[in-house]
Amino acid sequence: MNEILKVEKLEKYYGGKSNLTKALNDVSFHAEKGEFVAIMGASGSGKTTLLNCIATIDKVTAGHIFVDGLDITKLKGNNLNKFRREELGFIFQDFNLLDTLTAYENIALALSIQNVNVFEIEEKIKKVAHQLGIEDVLQKYPYQMSGGQKQRVASLVLLLPIQNLF
């Protein structure tokens, strides 16, 4: 197994001297490729803050986060943008599909932003839609789909252009 994520002595503080909140205090763990990891804790324990730091949405106060050996806490500017664009995918609870586009168009838009050849887009979408059993929703708008269908479409919107999985 390969270590894909390593979090070392992570700290995240909010506020100032008189009103300091320690959202994360000396958090360390690692995850191997193929391993499933759950983050659990009481409300306000820092779960979302931890995920936001790993996802580069929030900057850490101290510590380091390594993704596939790369210290992402040191990335800035174009290097950080490139990392986000090429290495991360987000699946939000509300799916973030564009309501005015069909499932097919939502997926195609993500692929076109990644400069996938227009002639490859249809082939890629059809292949993966078949594998995920969502061929019948490709021409539907998000309001016409079930939650599970939207989740699978949203997964494709994020993962297909980033990983070239299929």
Side-chain angles (χ1 to χ4, degrees):
M1 289 271 199
N2 295 340
E3 187 175 73
I4 193 138
L5 173 66
K6 182 178 179 183
V7 175
E8 276 185 347
K9 301 180 180 283
L10 205 63
E11 296 180 6
K12 177 62 182 174
Y13 303 155
Y14 293 103
K17 291 180 183 179
S18 62
N19 189 20
L20 188 66
T21 300
K22 291 183 179 183
L24 300 173
N25 189 18
D26 198 30
V27 176
S28 296
F29 69 93
H30 72 273
E32 303 289 327
K33 186 173 185 174
E35 184 176 25
F36 288 91
V37 177
I39 300 171
M40 300 172 15
S43 179
S45 64
K47 301 179 299 290
T48 299
T49 300
L50 175 61
L51 291 174
N52 285 343
C53 289
I54 293 170
T56 70
I57 293 170
D58 209 349
K59 290 187 180 272
V60 303
T61 303
H64 298 276
I65 302 168
F66 298 89
V67 175
D68 208 15
L70 175 67
D71 187 349
I72 64 171
T73 57
K74 294 184 177 182
L75 295 177
K76 295 184 184 342
N78 288 336
N79 289 331
L80 181 57
N81 291 337
K82 183 177 187 224
F83 173 78
R84 287 176 177 147
R85 182 178 62 247
E86 296 179 6
E87 302 296 331
L88 293 181
F90 297 90
I91 300 175
F92 296 95
Q93 288 178 316
D94 63 359
F95 313 115
N96 287 345
L97 297 174
L98 298 175
D99 291 333
T100 58
L101 300 180
T102 64
Y104 180 92
E105 292 166 335
N106 269 283
I107 299 165
L109 175 62
L111 289 169
S112 66
I113 289 170
Q114 291 294 320
N115 296 319
V116 173
N117 184 309
V118 70
F119 300 107
E120 295 178 36
I121 290 176
E122 183 174 359
E123 178 185 329
K124 285 180 179 260
I125 292 173
K126 285 185 177 182
K127 181 180 178 184
V128 179
H130 175 72
Q131 291 174 329
L132 293 178
I134 58 168
E135 297 159 292
D136 58 329
V137 301
L138 288 178
Q139 298 310 314
K140 291 184 178 181
Y141 292 91
Y143 72 88
Q144 297 171 310
M145 292 182 254
S146 72
Q149 291 167 330
K150 286 189 243 184
Q151 189 72 57
R152 284 176 278 180
V153 170
S155 297
L156 284 179
V157 166
L158 297 166
L159 297 176
L160 191 59
I162 293 170
Q163 299 295 329
N164 283 324
L165 295 175
F166 303 94

